[in-house]
Amino acid sequence: MGFHTTYDGGCHDTLDMATSTTEPAVFCYHHELDQFTLLAENLPAYIDTMLTLHGLWLWDWFKVADEHGIQLNSPPLQLWLRWLNMFCTMKLEDAQSLETLIHYTTMHGVDHPAVLQAFQAYDPKDIFLAWEQHWQNIQHSQVPFSTWAVLVGETAGMGAADWVRSLWEPETAQAWTSLAQNNTLHAKGAFVSTRAYLSARCLPEQEGLVCVCNHLLQDSVAEDKLEGYTANGQLQHFRSPQIINWMRDKVNHPVDGWAILFAHSRPTAEQLIEWLSDSELHQKIATEALDIMIHRDLLPALEADAWANISDLLLASLQLVMLKKDKRRIEAVLKQLSDADSHVQ
């Protein structure tokens, strides 16, 4: 039997070139299992099937195929087609109830401002309760906790405060992490990051910050060092200048993670000036943060004299740094800040 194949991940889509028919059959070859699954008896049938499924591609075709190939009437594919039909036909204006709005949001996400605006018609606590009920109905379909949490955080906000507080209780945290398959270290890390995000979205700022910062400090004692990327992963969603004050005596090399956190924490003019006037490490972090803020359009609106002060400090730092990459970074920031009129009110 001769084949022409195209590789996709762990499987091959395969044409049988040795058949006596005018059109070759189409198989899926699972090379790790050394197993063939017939997808269609000929290429036109395969193309028609894939068009019907709107290009859906599965790793486990054998669950929806028999000796005649892919069976469109199999329950998983029927579920996919029903979902896709609703995805293509349901409009936001059709979501006239909280239940239907949640259904729409599970398909389209919360990135569009109009979706978030639609939720403003409902009480935040009612929104959370509706999401909680939805989760209980679908949790066995392997929807990631982090995905569901973002939908709750963006739409329910403070309405989910009591639930988020419960996530900080050791027994509750253990129960949620155990939902993940094999309770892996990765799953625990994902839960911790998601809980921090929810604390930023659903708790009063000071309360959420205390919870997350205390947890980070406990971990830093165990690990003997607090990494910048770890801190950023749990604190960036707060967008609070308080974080910059908190991290001032905790920063270390490498600076990258700390710089990202600094950039996302909405630094004030005073904080920028303080860090650029501090140690070489603090200067590096503040300079890299300015570079990040420039490229991500996060620069704060400051008075002209503040920008002049910052530029003077960068020029002074430029005379002291030894590494070429540090000089280039400072020069790039200075160049971007040269047009001060674009940054002042």
Side-chain angles (χ1 to χ4, degrees), residues 7-303:
Y7 181 67
D8 193 344
C11 304
H12 292 74
D13 287 341
T14 305
L15 295 178
D16 178 4
M17 304 299 291
T19 61
S20 58
T21 59
T22 56
E23 291 288 346
V26 181
F27 294 85
C28 178
Y29 175 58
H30 310 268
H31 64 87
E32 294 178 354
L33 303 174
D34 192 24
Q35 174 182 332
F36 288 91
T37 299
L38 176 66
L39 300 184
E41 293 181 347
N42 53 63
L43 185 57
Y46 173 74
I47 293 174
D48 286 343
T49 298
M50 297 311 293
L51 288 173
T52 301
L53 294 175
H54 297 267
L56 177 67
W57 196 90
L58 300 175
W59 289 99
D60 48 0
W61 282 117
F62 59 88
K63 292 184 178 179
V64 296
D66 59 17
E67 66 273 15
H68 302 295
I70 298 171
Q71 295 303 307
L72 292 173
N73 60 355
S74 62
L77 296 186
Q78 285 295 302
L79 183 64
W80 161 253
L81 290 171
R82 286 196 298 272
W83 184 93
L84 187 63
N85 179 64
M86 183 166 290
F87 177 84
C88 293
T89 58
M90 186 179 184
K91 306 300 181 185
L92 181 58
E93 53 266 27
D94 298 331
Q96 296 297 315
S97 68
L98 182 53
E99 181 180 358
T100 55
L101 180 56
I102 283 178
H103 195 84
Y104 176 91
T105 306
T106 59
M107 294 187 291
H108 295 273
V110 291
D111 294 333
H112 200 287
V115 175
L116 296 178
Q117 185 176 1
F119 276 97
Q120 293 179 8
Y122 302 95
D123 183 272
K125 289 187 177 180
D126 291 338
I127 295 172
F128 169 70
L129 292 174
W131 277 118
E132 186 176 43
Q133 182 61 50
H134 182 76
W135 171 261
Q136 291 173 356
N137 293 338
I138 64 156
Q139 60 180 321
H140 298 297
S141 64
Q142 298 181 340
V143 173
F145 171 69
S146 57
T147 299
W148 178 75
V150 168
L151 298 176
V152 171
E154 296 300 314
T155 60
M158 292 290 182
D162 289 339
W163 171 66
V164 174
R165 291 185 182 105
S166 76
L167 298 179
W168 288 98
E169 298 171 3
E171 298 81 5
T172 308
Q174 176 62 33
W176 279 98
T177 54
S178 65
L179 289 175
Q181 187 177 6
N182 299 326
N183 196 17
T184 63
L185 183 64
H186 174 75
K188 291 180 180 178
F191 171 79
V192 167
S193 297
T194 302
R195 181 178 62 183
Y197 156 79
L198 286 167
S199 298
R201 287 290 184 271
C202 305
L203 296 179
E205 181 180 286
Q206 195 60 36
E207 180 183 355
L209 275 173
V210 168
C211 289
V212 177
C213 289
N214 286 345
H215 176 77
L216 283 167
L217 291 178
Q218 291 170 6
D219 274 6
S220 70
V221 171
E223 298 293 332
D224 203 29
K225 183 180 180 181
L226 178 58
E227 298 287 350
Y229 281 110
T230 300
N232 177 62
Q234 297 190 41
L235 288 171
Q236 62 173 312
H237 300 290
F238 285 93
R239 305 289 196 267
S240 171
Q242 290 187 59
I243 294 169
I244 297 175
N245 295 333
W246 174 84
M247 70 190 224
R248 188 168 179 177
D249 62 349
K250 301 172 182 65
V251 295
N252 45 53
H253 290 283
V255 305
D256 309 58
W258 294 113
I260 295 172
L261 181 57
F262 191 108
H264 283 98
S265 298
R266 296 175 178 169
T268 63
E270 291 77 12
Q271 288 173 324
L272 284 165
I273 292 169
E274 285 173 2
W275 282 61
L276 290 170
S277 305
D278 208 328
S279 69
E280 182 182 357
L281 174 61
H282 290 82
Q283 291 174 29
K284 279 187 176 182
I285 292 171
T287 303
E288 186 164 331
L290 279 168
D291 192 39
I292 293 169
M293 287 188 281
I294 288 168
H295 287 94
R296 300 186 185 181
D297 197 24
L298 297 174
L299 279 177
L302 304 180
E303 298 295 335

